């Protein structure tokens, strides 16, 4: 359990895939607005990355992994609230992963799609106390809309932040 000196980090994340089809060019991007207390104020920064060929689901997983892997560079230990409009990500990490792990990383119906990313995400979250929170997308939530804008721009421009 995190102590009171542990930093609270709020992440609003979103993903975009232009095409979302593995049979044709489908560039994607993921983005996060990361916020944490810095003395008497709040530090905010944007974190974003791209893939030239991907899907929305892969971008949601890749973004969560990258953000959780980046946080220890700033803080040894953090309480992270990760907010996303991806039900695939939120349900997956909160509900499906424990069952898959119990079955040796298999679904009841066979193999787990994006297995390597799910395993990497499961490992990345171990460094922190993480609360996974779903928010309805495109519903006027300002920080989700901002992350969505960054993710689309990242997919279009195929660019990445340096953290």
């Amino acid at each position: 359990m995190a102590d009171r000196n542990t930093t609270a980090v709020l992440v609003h994340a979103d993903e975009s895939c232009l095409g979302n089809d593995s049979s044709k060019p489908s560039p994607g991007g993921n983005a996060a607005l990361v916020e944490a207390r810095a003395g008497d104020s709040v530090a905010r920064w944007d974190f974003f990355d791209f893939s030239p060929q991907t899907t929305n689901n892969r971008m949601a997983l890749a973004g969560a992994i990258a953000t959780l892997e980046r946080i220890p560079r700033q803080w040894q230990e953090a309480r992270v609230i990760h907010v996303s409009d991806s039900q695939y990500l939120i349900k997956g990490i909160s509900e499906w992963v424990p069952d898959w792990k119990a079955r040796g990383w298999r679904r009841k119906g066979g193999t787990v799609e994006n297995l390597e990313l799910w395993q990497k995400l499961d490992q990345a979250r171990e460094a922190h106390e993480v609360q996974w929170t779903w928010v309805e997308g495109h519903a006027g939530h300002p920080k989700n809309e901002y992350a969505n804008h960054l993710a689309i721009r990242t997919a279009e421009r195929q660019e990445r932040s340096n953290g």
Side-chain angles (χ1 to χ4, degrees), residues 1-61:
M1 186 62 125
D3 64 37
R4 57 183 238 136
N5 294 323
T6 302
T7 302
V9 179
L10 178 60
V11 176
H12 279 81
D14 206 349
E15 71 289 329
S16 176
C17 187
L18 309 176
N20 205 31
D21 184 344
S22 60
S23 68
K24 63 182 181 181
S26 296
N30 59 57
L33 168 62
V34 181
E35 301 176 304
R37 186 150 301 283
D40 292 338
S41 63
V42 175
R44 292 180 175 93
W45 71 96
D46 298 339
F47 183 74
F48 48 93
D49 200 1
F50 73 93
S51 177
Q53 179 67 36
T54 192
T55 64
N56 278 332
N57 288 344
R58 289 186 68 79
M59 284 281 80
L61 293 170

Side-chain angles (χ1 to χ4, degrees), residues 2 5-9 68 71-72 74-81 125 127-130:
N5 294 323
T6 302
T7 302
V9 179
L68 290 176
I71 288 172
Q74 188 75 22
W75 303 282
Q76 186 70 17
E77 194 176 334
R79 286 185 328 271
V80 179
I81 299 173
R125 74 175 171 162
H128 309 290
E129 179 183 318
V130 183

Side-chain angles (χ1 to χ4, degrees), residues 88-139:
Y88 178 75
L89 170 67
I90 302 301
K91 281 187 177 186
I93 198 65
S94 301
E95 299 173 22
W96 307 335
V97 165
D99 291 339
W100 294 338
K101 285 175 71 172
R103 288 195 220 60
W105 285 102
R106 296 196 52 79
R107 291 176 42 229
K108 287 180 184 175
T111 60
V112 174
E113 188 176 340
N114 299 315
L115 175 62
E116 73 287 352
L117 292 173
W118 284 114
Q119 289 174 326
K120 196 168 181 181
L121 178 57
D122 186 49
Q123 182 178 14
R125 74 175 171 162
E126 290 178 359
H128 309 290
E129 179 183 318
V130 183
Q131 175 185 326
W132 302 94
T133 304
W134 179 79
V135 63
E136 185 176 353
H138 311 290

